[in-house]
Amino acid sequence: MSSRTSSRSPLMSVLMGLSLATACGRDPTYFRSLDDNGGPPAEASADAAPEYLKTYEAGQLETANLTIDSGFNLISQDFLLVQAPKSAELSQQLDRTVYEDNFTQGNNGTSAAQSFQISEAGIFDLLIVMDNSSSMGPYQNRISQNLTSILKYISNTNWRIAVVTTTNACLNRTADGRKYITRADYDANPAKATADFQTMIKIGEGGDPVEKGIKVAADAMIGQGCATSSNEWLRADSQRSILLITDEKNCGSGSNEGCVGAPYATAQYFYDRVGYNVPVNAFLLLQEPPAPNPANPSDPNLDCQNSGGYLDPPNPAEYLRMVTDTGGISTDICRSNYSSVLEQISLNVRKKINIQFELSKPAVATSLDIKLDGKKVNAFTVSGNTLTILEQVPEGSQKLDVSYKHSPIPMVKSFSTSRAGDSNSFEVLINGEKLAKELYHFDNANGKLELNNIPPEYAQIKVKYREDVPLRKVFNYAANFVAGSLEVWVNEKKVTNYTHDSNTKKVTFTTPPADGSQVSLRYEMPGDRKLKYPILGADAARIEKFRLIDRETNEELIANVDNGNLVVDNDAIFNGRKVRAVYNMDYEFKDKQYNIAIAGQPFPDTLKISAEGDDQICSQNVEVHADTIGFSCGDEDFEKLNISYKYAQSYKNSFDIGVDYSGPKTYKVFVNGNEITNYHIVEDKVVILKKDLPAGSIVKVLITPKA
């Protein structure tokens, strides 16, 4: 046993006081400026002696905790089992381009409401076919003065009047270029509307002498027959009628006139195109005009003196057939009073006009809600903008209120995306709310997203999806790890949906990780588990037997003693496992002087010897040697001793600084990047006091030859 004090040479005293341990430095490096990162120095000049930078590392501090009984027959040692963290190889899943399409759901239509006076019921379109051949000037003048007679019984309807000639079906124009006059025109300005009517009627006598009344009437009623401009003027589902004014037969009355064999030679041409439901009313030359009285300037027969004179009596048979077959009225053109006839025609037309109203927009039939003076109307039809009441309207009824929807946009549950997409990547939001995946699917065959249910009116539908590129399912690794230790993590979550082939070093997912996912393959490498642990506080040679137990579960673990170490079974080790080794010792002691085996010299001021919590009882005659601690106790009245200390694992505070240069040198010493001055140079060694050199420190020494 060493004594507590001893004499040493001055050199040895310095070294022992600091530590006799030395460390070999790293390879010398030419150096010009100190780099905190230990990087290479700047290039030395050719004529200068090289500078040297040597780098060293002090060891790490470890903690030893020993518990022994007062008789030293049992010694327990608590420590933690160590397993290095699993190694990992990281991979990144593809992060495919995200596309977004936005759609707006259709609707059942825009709501609208209108009110109508019953006295104004009816939508009526009147076509006047005016002969514009020679002799027709006086008749045109008579008709032009009788707009009020025409309107007498239809003035409260929604009427429209257009005029064509027997020459062609092009609509005559007003002075300002309009193709017809309307009730709205007349209500706004009766004088102007009357003047426009007269302009359209008084077309002159320069027309074709072969009057094609049947052809023109039919063509104008179907919007055809005019090569120079559009001939459309009729409203859908309006009530219609024709007023024909001519003093000739169809296709003329002269011996050199006619259209025998032409398709429009007979009334059938009209029926085939217009039908029988449009009444034709006519002013026709039914007899030779009577001779006028030259002495009476107001004799109405003066207007007819240029008509007639045919070899055969006047007989406009096809015109009369049209009037008869359609339920119209005909009269002689040479009559002096047009007003009464036109009023009769107006009355006849009015009786045939349905209770119709023109809506502002084409209505959705199922949306119509109609009330007549507050009472619901159930029998009606709607076609486009035209509403027709089918119920009997009581006498004296006043007002019809109509509410409806118009301009609907079809509502759908199928949407075509702008690009091809991965069918598994689709995300659908309706009005900002995410739709469950089972409520929709993407059809790759037609490129459409199909929803199970139709979204509500005006819904905003947002569709997000990824480009149609397959995601990775297979991930490779390089390491030869411990069999059975592989763990697969996706975005820091452990998963099991994979297979592993150790021969090809591949991990294959059953379902590929989501876009942009981080895939981590974690495994244990050979040597990650620390098997050997130094026996502390007990002389391994004196251990009779021992137990190694888990401190938390009391499970007994498999281990053996080998050359002063406990060797723990590989399967028992996981990092941080708390264990206790209990040694049954064959141990002797004399005069209360104890010697305890240690793993390494205690670091200054870390040794504590406690007897039942008292640090003074066993603090006498403490001697620290290379591999033991000696001490004595002033009392035996305790059951256990607790000994703890910190020791340096491969700790060094003396470093070899020898270089291939024998001349004078200067030194700079750095600890963890900071220059220090409290060091000693002793025989090509730099020595730093332990108190100034924490375990794990990085020491750099710059050696500069003097010139």
mmCIF file of all heavy atoms in Angstrom, residues 410-431:
data_model
loop_
_atom_site.group_PDB
_atom_site.id
_atom_site.type_symbol
_atom_site.label_atom_id
_atom_site.label_comp_id
_atom_site.label_asym_id
_atom_site.label_seq_id
_atom_site.Cartn_x
_atom_site.Cartn_y
_atom_site.Cartn_z
ATOM 1 N N PRO A 410 -77.906 24.412 -66.101
ATOM 2 C CA PRO A 410 -78.033 23.008 -65.668
ATOM 3 C C PRO A 410 -77.139 22.716 -64.458
ATOM 4 O O PRO A 410 -75.985 23.127 -64.410
ATOM 5 C CB PRO A 410 -77.589 22.219 -66.903
ATOM 6 C CG PRO A 410 -77.850 23.132 -68.053
ATOM 7 C CD PRO A 410 -77.598 24.513 -67.544
ATOM 8 N N MET A 411 -77.697 21.996 -63.512
ATOM 9 C CA MET A 411 -76.945 21.582 -62.326
ATOM 10 C C MET A 411 -76.385 20.186 -62.566
ATOM 11 O O MET A 411 -77.105 19.290 -63.014
ATOM 12 C CB MET A 411 -77.845 21.627 -61.091
ATOM 13 C CG MET A 411 -78.301 23.045 -60.755
ATOM 14 S SD MET A 411 -79.434 23.116 -59.354
ATOM 15 C CE MET A 411 -78.399 22.509 -58.026
ATOM 16 N N VAL A 412 -75.122 20.029 -62.264
ATOM 17 C CA VAL A 412 -74.436 18.785 -62.612
ATOM 18 C C VAL A 412 -73.678 18.243 -61.400
ATOM 19 O O VAL A 412 -73.486 18.929 -60.402
ATOM 20 C CB VAL A 412 -73.449 19.011 -63.783
ATOM 21 C CG1 VAL A 412 -74.188 19.450 -65.030
ATOM 22 C CG2 VAL A 412 -72.387 20.042 -63.406
ATOM 23 N N LYS A 413 -73.265 16.999 -61.519
ATOM 24 C CA LYS A 413 -72.393 16.397 -60.510
ATOM 25 C C LYS A 413 -71.169 15.754 -61.158
ATOM 26 O O LYS A 413 -70.458 14.981 -60.520
ATOM 27 C CB LYS A 413 -73.155 15.370 -59.674
ATOM 28 C CG LYS A 413 -73.727 14.197 -60.454
ATOM 29 C CD LYS A 413 -74.384 13.200 -59.503
ATOM 30 C CE LYS A 413 -74.935 11.994 -60.248
ATOM 31 N NZ LYS A 413 -75.494 10.981 -59.324
ATOM 32 N N SER A 414 -70.942 16.118 -62.416
ATOM 33 C CA SER A 414 -69.781 15.620 -63.153
ATOM 34 C C SER A 414 -69.002 16.823 -63.668
ATOM 35 O O SER A 414 -69.588 17.729 -64.267
ATOM 36 C CB SER A 414 -70.230 14.733 -64.321
ATOM 37 O OG SER A 414 -69.130 14.314 -65.080
ATOM 38 N N PHE A 415 -67.686 16.844 -63.419
ATOM 39 C CA PHE A 415 -66.866 17.994 -63.772
ATOM 40 C C PHE A 415 -65.606 17.526 -64.499
ATOM 41 O O PHE A 415 -64.926 16.609 -64.049
ATOM 42 C CB PHE A 415 -66.475 18.781 -62.514
ATOM 43 C CG PHE A 415 -67.658 19.257 -61.729
ATOM 44 C CD1 PHE A 415 -68.209 18.460 -60.735
ATOM 45 C CD2 PHE A 415 -68.242 20.479 -61.991
ATOM 46 C CE1 PHE A 415 -69.316 18.877 -60.004
ATOM 47 C CE2 PHE A 415 -69.349 20.910 -61.274
ATOM 48 C CZ PHE A 415 -69.888 20.115 -60.282
ATOM 49 N N SER A 416 -65.314 18.159 -65.628
ATOM 50 C CA SER A 416 -64.122 17.825 -66.406
ATOM 51 C C SER A 416 -62.947 18.650 -65.913
ATOM 52 O O SER A 416 -63.015 19.886 -65.881
ATOM 53 C CB SER A 416 -64.360 18.107 -67.898
ATOM 54 O OG SER A 416 -65.386 17.285 -68.407
ATOM 55 N N THR A 417 -61.878 17.981 -65.516
ATOM 56 C CA THR A 417 -60.695 18.682 -65.014
ATOM 57 C C THR A 417 -59.860 19.203 -66.175
ATOM 58 O O THR A 417 -59.950 18.710 -67.300
ATOM 59 C CB THR A 417 -59.844 17.757 -64.132
ATOM 60 O OG1 THR A 417 -59.469 16.601 -64.881
ATOM 61 C CG2 THR A 417 -60.633 17.321 -62.912
ATOM 62 N N SER A 418 -59.043 20.196 -65.893
ATOM 63 C CA SER A 418 -58.243 20.834 -66.945
ATOM 64 C C SER A 418 -57.065 19.982 -67.367
ATOM 65 O O SER A 418 -56.534 20.153 -68.460
ATOM 66 C CB SER A 418 -57.743 22.204 -66.467
ATOM 67 O OG SER A 418 -56.943 22.069 -65.302
ATOM 68 N N ARG A 419 -56.646 19.042 -66.485
ATOM 69 C CA ARG A 419 -55.496 18.201 -66.790
ATOM 70 C C ARG A 419 -55.765 16.793 -66.285
ATOM 71 O O ARG A 419 -56.636 16.581 -65.449
ATOM 72 C CB ARG A 419 -54.223 18.729 -66.117
ATOM 73 C CG ARG A 419 -53.803 20.123 -66.563
ATOM 74 C CD ARG A 419 -52.638 20.613 -65.716
ATOM 75 N NE ARG A 419 -52.168 21.920 -66.115
ATOM 76 C CZ ARG A 419 -52.677 23.061 -65.698
ATOM 77 N NH1 ARG A 419 -53.722 23.047 -64.870
ATOM 78 N NH2 ARG A 419 -52.181 24.222 -66.091
ATOM 79 N N ALA A 420 -54.959 15.853 -66.779
ATOM 80 C CA ALA A 420 -55.015 14.497 -66.235
ATOM 81 C C ALA A 420 -54.423 14.509 -64.831
ATOM 82 O O ALA A 420 -53.444 15.202 -64.568
ATOM 83 C CB ALA A 420 -54.234 13.536 -67.136
ATOM 84 N N GLY A 421 -55.039 13.764 -63.930
ATOM 85 C CA GLY A 421 -54.579 13.757 -62.547
ATOM 86 C C GLY A 421 -54.535 12.355 -61.974
ATOM 87 O O GLY A 421 -55.177 11.432 -62.489
ATOM 88 N N ASP A 422 -53.772 12.201 -60.902
ATOM 89 C CA ASP A 422 -53.721 10.933 -60.173
ATOM 90 C C ASP A 422 -55.053 10.759 -59.453
ATOM 91 O O ASP A 422 -55.424 11.574 -58.603
ATOM 92 C CB ASP A 422 -52.554 10.964 -59.188
ATOM 93 C CG ASP A 422 -52.454 9.688 -58.365
ATOM 94 O OD1 ASP A 422 -53.300 8.791 -58.530
ATOM 95 O OD2 ASP A 422 -51.525 9.599 -57.542
ATOM 96 N N SER A 423 -55.760 9.703 -59.771
ATOM 97 C CA SER A 423 -57.111 9.516 -59.227
ATOM 98 C C SER A 423 -57.124 9.404 -57.716
ATOM 99 O O SER A 423 -58.148 9.678 -57.079
ATOM 100 C CB SER A 423 -57.758 8.271 -59.854
ATOM 101 O OG SER A 423 -56.982 7.114 -59.577
ATOM 102 N N ASN A 424 -55.991 9.008 -57.111
ATOM 103 C CA ASN A 424 -55.943 8.874 -55.649
ATOM 104 C C ASN A 424 -55.604 10.178 -54.948
ATOM 105 O O ASN A 424 -55.578 10.221 -53.714
ATOM 106 C CB ASN A 424 -54.911 7.805 -55.263
ATOM 107 C CG ASN A 424 -55.313 6.423 -55.741
ATOM 108 O OD1 ASN A 424 -56.469 6.038 -55.629
ATOM 109 N ND2 ASN A 424 -54.358 5.683 -56.294
ATOM 110 N N SER A 425 -55.308 11.224 -55.703
ATOM 111 C CA SER A 425 -54.845 12.471 -55.084
ATOM 112 C C SER A 425 -55.931 13.534 -54.999
ATOM 113 O O SER A 425 -55.674 14.624 -54.491
ATOM 114 C CB SER A 425 -53.661 13.027 -55.891
ATOM 115 O OG SER A 425 -54.084 13.503 -57.166
ATOM 116 N N PHE A 426 -57.127 13.254 -55.473
ATOM 117 C CA PHE A 426 -58.140 14.306 -55.580
ATOM 118 C C PHE A 426 -58.665 14.735 -54.208
ATOM 119 O O PHE A 426 -58.866 13.915 -53.305
ATOM 120 C CB PHE A 426 -59.302 13.841 -56.454
ATOM 121 C CG PHE A 426 -59.036 14.042 -57.912
ATOM 122 C CD1 PHE A 426 -58.177 13.198 -58.600
ATOM 123 C CD2 PHE A 426 -59.610 15.094 -58.594
ATOM 124 C CE1 PHE A 426 -57.908 13.389 -59.935
ATOM 125 C CE2 PHE A 426 -59.355 15.289 -59.943
ATOM 126 C CZ PHE A 426 -58.500 14.442 -60.617
ATOM 127 N N GLU A 427 -58.851 16.039 -54.103
ATOM 128 C CA GLU A 427 -59.464 16.631 -52.910
ATOM 129 C C GLU A 427 -60.535 17.610 -53.390
ATOM 130 O O GLU A 427 -60.279 18.432 -54.265
ATOM 131 C CB GLU A 427 -58.399 17.353 -52.086
ATOM 132 C CG GLU A 427 -58.930 18.035 -50.841
ATOM 133 C CD GLU A 427 -57.825 18.733 -50.060
ATOM 134 O OE1 GLU A 427 -56.940 18.026 -49.545
ATOM 135 O OE2 GLU A 427 -57.839 19.979 -49.995
ATOM 136 N N VAL A 428 -61.739 17.502 -52.845
ATOM 137 C CA VAL A 428 -62.863 18.315 -53.307
ATOM 138 C C VAL A 428 -63.403 19.142 -52.142
ATOM 139 O O VAL A 428 -63.638 18.611 -51.050
ATOM 140 C CB VAL A 428 -63.988 17.420 -53.881
ATOM 141 C CG1 VAL A 428 -65.164 18.272 -54.348
ATOM 142 C CG2 VAL A 428 -63.458 16.564 -55.031
ATOM 143 N N LEU A 429 -63.563 20.437 -52.384
ATOM 144 C CA LEU A 429 -64.164 21.328 -51.399
ATOM 145 C C LEU A 429 -65.410 21.960 -52.019
ATOM 146 O O LEU A 429 -65.364 22.474 -53.137
ATOM 147 C CB LEU A 429 -63.197 22.422 -50.958
ATOM 148 C CG LEU A 429 -61.989 21.969 -50.129
ATOM 149 C CD1 LEU A 429 -60.817 21.649 -51.047
ATOM 150 C CD2 LEU A 429 -61.579 23.033 -49.127
ATOM 151 N N ILE A 430 -66.509 21.912 -51.286
ATOM 152 C CA ILE A 430 -67.755 22.535 -51.731
ATOM 153 C C ILE A 430 -68.078 23.653 -50.760
ATOM 154 O O ILE A 430 -68.272 23.422 -49.569
ATOM 155 C CB ILE A 430 -68.900 21.512 -51.808
ATOM 156 C CG1 ILE A 430 -68.561 20.436 -52.854
ATOM 157 C CG2 ILE A 430 -70.213 22.206 -52.153
ATOM 158 C CD1 ILE A 430 -69.619 19.376 -53.016
ATOM 159 N N ASN A 431 -68.073 24.870 -51.294
ATOM 160 C CA ASN A 431 -68.261 26.063 -50.450
ATOM 161 C C ASN A 431 -67.287 26.052 -49.276
ATOM 162 O O ASN A 431 -67.638 26.402 -48.149
ATOM 163 C CB ASN A 431 -69.706 26.154 -49.960
ATOM 164 C CG ASN A 431 -70.676 26.437 -51.088
ATOM 165 O OD1 ASN A 431 -70.326 27.067 -52.089
ATOM 166 N ND2 ASN A 431 -71.904 25.967 -50.954
#
